[in-house]
C-alpha cells in the first residue's frame, strides 16, 4: 500500500468484478444501438479501458476533458470544457464514462451539453457514486459502487495529478490534501 494511503477501499479484484458486471449490463442494454462511449478524462481512462476490453458490443469511443476542480478537493461549481469530442454526436446513443460522481455538476452539464448537440440518448456509467456530496440530482444509469464521503485515489482517480496509477482505490490520508 502506498505510504500516503490510509486504507484500501476497493481492491484490484473487486474493481475487476465491478467492471465485468457493468460491461454485461451495458452490452445487454445497447444491443443493436449506435453506441458512442465518451470518457471524461483523465480520471476515467483506466476504468474505460477495462470496460472496453470486457464488453462484447460494437461501439465507438471519444473523450472530453472538463474541469470543475482545478487542483483542489472541492468542486468550483463551474464546468469548463477543455477538450470537446472530435466527432458528431447527433443521432447517437451516448454513454458517458466517469470515474466518480461527487457534486453532480459536471455530469449535469455534460448531459445537457450533449443533448444540445442532438444526441439521441445520453446515459451515464460511473465507477463510483458519492451521493452524500450531491449538489445537483442527476440520474445515473450504471453505478459500480456507492462509496462514503472520503477522498479516494487510485485506478485513475488523483489528487493534484498524483496516485492515478495505483491498481486499487484507497482513501488518501487527510494530511496530504489538508
Amino acid at each position: 500500500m502506498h505510504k500516503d494511503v490510509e486504507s484500501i477501499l476497493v481492491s484490484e479484484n473487486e474493481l475487476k468484478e465491478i467492471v465485468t458486471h457493468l460491461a454485461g449490463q451495458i452490452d445487454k442494454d445497447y444491443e443493436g444501438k449506435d453506441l458512442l462511449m465518451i470518457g471524461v478524462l483523465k480520471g476515467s481512462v483506466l476504468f474505460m479501458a477495462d470496460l472496453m476490453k470486457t464488453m462484447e458490443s460494437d461501439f465507438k469511443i471519444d473523450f472530453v476533458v472538463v474541469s470543475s476542480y482545478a487542483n483542489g478537493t472541492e468542486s468550483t461549481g463551474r464546468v469548463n470544457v477543455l477538450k470537446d469530442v472530435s466527432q458528431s454526436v447527433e443521432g447517437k446513443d451516448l454513454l458517458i464514462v466517469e470515474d466518480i460522481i461527487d457534486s453532480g455538476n459536471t455530469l449535469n452539464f455534460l448531459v445537457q451539453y450533449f443533448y444540445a448537440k442532438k444526441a439521441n440518448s445520453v446515459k451515464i456509467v460511473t465507477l463510483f457514486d458519492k451521493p452524500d456530496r450531491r449538489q445537483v440530482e442527476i440520474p445515473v444509469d450504471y453505478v459500480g459502487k456507492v462509496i462514503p464521503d472520503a477522498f479516494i485515489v487510485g485506478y485513475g482517480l488523483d489528487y493534484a495529478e498524483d496516485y492515478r496509477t495505483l491498481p486499487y482505490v484507497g482513501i488518501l490520508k487527510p494530511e496530504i490534501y489538508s
Side-chain angles (χ1 to χ4, degrees):
M1 187 165 65
H2 192 282
K3 65 180 177 52
D4 295 343
V5 172
E6 187 175 275
S7 62
I8 294 175
L9 183 66
V10 183
S11 71
E12 197 170 352
N13 284 338
E14 188 178 357
L15 287 167
K16 287 177 186 172
E17 291 171 9
I18 290 168
V19 169
T20 300
H21 176 74
L22 290 171
Q25 287 183 300
I26 294 165
D27 275 334
K28 183 176 146 194
D29 293 349
Y30 281 92
E31 187 174 338
K33 294 191 177 180
D34 188 12
L35 175 59
L36 175 61
M37 289 176 59
I38 299 176
V40 181
L41 294 177
K42 299 177 190 169
S44 73
V45 72
L46 293 179
F47 171 46
M48 185 167 168
D50 285 348
L51 194 60
M52 290 168 38
K53 290 187 295 186
T54 308
M55 288 176 59
E56 295 178 7
S57 305
D58 289 328
F59 53 87
K60 292 180 176 67
I61 66 167
D62 210 328
F63 298 94
V64 293
V65 178
V66 292
S67 176
S68 66
Y69 280 84
N71 275 337
T73 60
E74 297 289 325
S75 174
T76 64
R78 179 178 161 82
V79 180
N80 297 307
V81 177
L82 305 177
K83 182 221 171 284
D84 204 345
V85 291
S86 59
Q87 59 193 289
S88 172
V89 301
E90 187 172 344
K92 293 187 175 18
D93 294 301
L94 308 185
L95 180 63
I96 300 172
V97 182
E98 180 66 292
D99 55 355
I100 187 168
I101 299 178
D102 194 343
S103 69
N105 290 323
T106 300
L107 273 297
N108 184 54
F109 171 85
L110 283 174
V111 168
Q112 292 176 35
Y113 182 74
F114 289 130
Y115 273 126
K117 289 179 169 257
K118 301 187 174 147
N120 182 52
S121 68
V122 182
K123 291 188 176 183
I124 299 167
V125 59
T126 187
L127 182 57
F128 297 113
D129 187 9
K130 238 194 240 188
D132 292 343
R133 307 256 313 167
R134 196 75 81 246
Q135 295 173 2
V136 176
E137 283 308 313
I138 181 148
V140 183
D141 304 280
Y142 308 96
V143 175
K145 184 174 179 117
V146 176
I147 62 167
D149 186 12
F151 198 95
I152 59 171
V153 294
Y155 196 66
L157 294 139
D158 75 306
Y159 170 64
E161 296 297 327
D162 289 325
Y163 312 104
R164 288 190 194 277
T165 59
L166 297 175
Y168 55 83
V169 173
I171 298 174
L172 193 63
K173 291 178 181 174
E175 60 266 24
I176 303 301
Y177 59 87
S178 296

